[in-house]
Structure formats: C-alpha cells, structure tokens
Amino acid sequence: SVISVDRAAEWIVRLALLENPKHRLVNLGFANPPTLAEVCDAFVQECGFTRPPKVSLSLLRPAARVGDLIAKKRSGFPLTTSNLRKLTQSTNVDCSRAAEMIPEVASVDFAGELRESADFYQSLTS
C-alpha cells in the first residue's frame, strides 16, 4: 500500500493511544486494496508515467521461463516465473481491523495517496 509516512505515523499514534483497543494486532493499509490495473492507472494518471504495454499471459509464461534461465546468469532479471506469479495472483492483506478502530482508513484510496507522493515517484525517474 502507498500510504504516506505522515498518515501512517498519525494512524499508529492514534492506535497506540487507544485506551482499550478492540484488536491488539492490525494490518495498516487500504481497507479496499487496489488491483494491479488500478495501480498502473493511478501511476499513469497521478505521476504522468507512460502506460505499460499489455501482453497476453500466453506470451509471458514462456518468456518468463526463458527469463528464469537469464536470471541465473544475470541477477535481478525482472521477467521470471516467480515475478510473473506475483503479478498475476491476488494477495490481499485484511486491513478491516484497522478500519474498525480508525474509520478514515476505509476512505483512503490508492490514487489519492499516490497523488500526495507523486513528486517522490517522479524523482525516481529523473
């Protein structure tokens, strides 16, 4: 989740100051996590990045297997079966407990938080 440090710190302080918290363990993040498509759309919209090309999985799967071989020689090669699996499987963290104790968690969205941090992400490409 892209949550500003300021917002995360604010929420952590609020949670820490609760006298009798309903939950003793929470995940801090978006109550409604974005899909990969929503993440890509937000980076294009909010940061002005180029839209990534869409490639069918039927082409990516064999390319990723070749990428596995390349990654053995060139550490960090990006197109591997492991990375492809991460991009095509949903992995959501349940943040509903935090939203129960801090209602604003439910109203924070990825694009809005990214908008607040767009300068940071744009600076990474400079």
Side-chain angles (χ1 to χ4, degrees):
S1 293
V2 175
I3 298 176
S4 70
V5 171
D6 292 342
R7 187 178 309 274
E10 173 194 338
W11 288 351
I12 289 169
V13 167
R14 286 178 60 186
L15 289 168
L17 295 176
L18 288 174
E19 192 152 323
N20 190 14
K22 182 176 181 177
H23 304 286
R24 302 297 302 170
L25 182 65
V26 299
N27 293 311
L28 195 56
F30 299 115
N32 300 305
T35 64
L36 182 57
E38 291 168 336
V39 168
C40 290
D41 288 344
F43 272 99
V44 169
Q45 185 70 31
E46 304 302 335
C47 298
F49 292 167
T50 304
R51 184 169 302 284
K54 289 184 179 183
V55 180
S56 74
L57 280 175
S58 61
L59 293 175
L60 282 174
R61 283 189 181 106
R65 285 193 291 276
V66 171
D68 288 342
L69 297 173
I70 295 170
K72 288 181 180 181
K73 298 283 185 192
R74 193 170 137 213
S75 178
F77 189 76
L79 182 56
T80 63
T81 54
S82 175
N83 287 344
L84 184 60
R85 187 173 36 259
K86 290 174 190 174
L87 291 170
T88 57
Q89 292 180 348
S90 293
T91 306
N92 292 330
V93 175
D94 183 1
C95 297
S96 62
R97 288 180 174 183
E100 284 180 47
M101 295 187 292
I102 304 173
E104 298 90 81
V105 169
S107 65
V108 174
D109 69 311
F110 180 82
E113 286 295 290
L114 184 59
R115 188 177 309 116
E116 300 293 321
S117 305
D119 291 345
F120 168 76
Y121 287 100
Q122 291 164 339
S123 74
L124 297 176
T125 62
S126 304

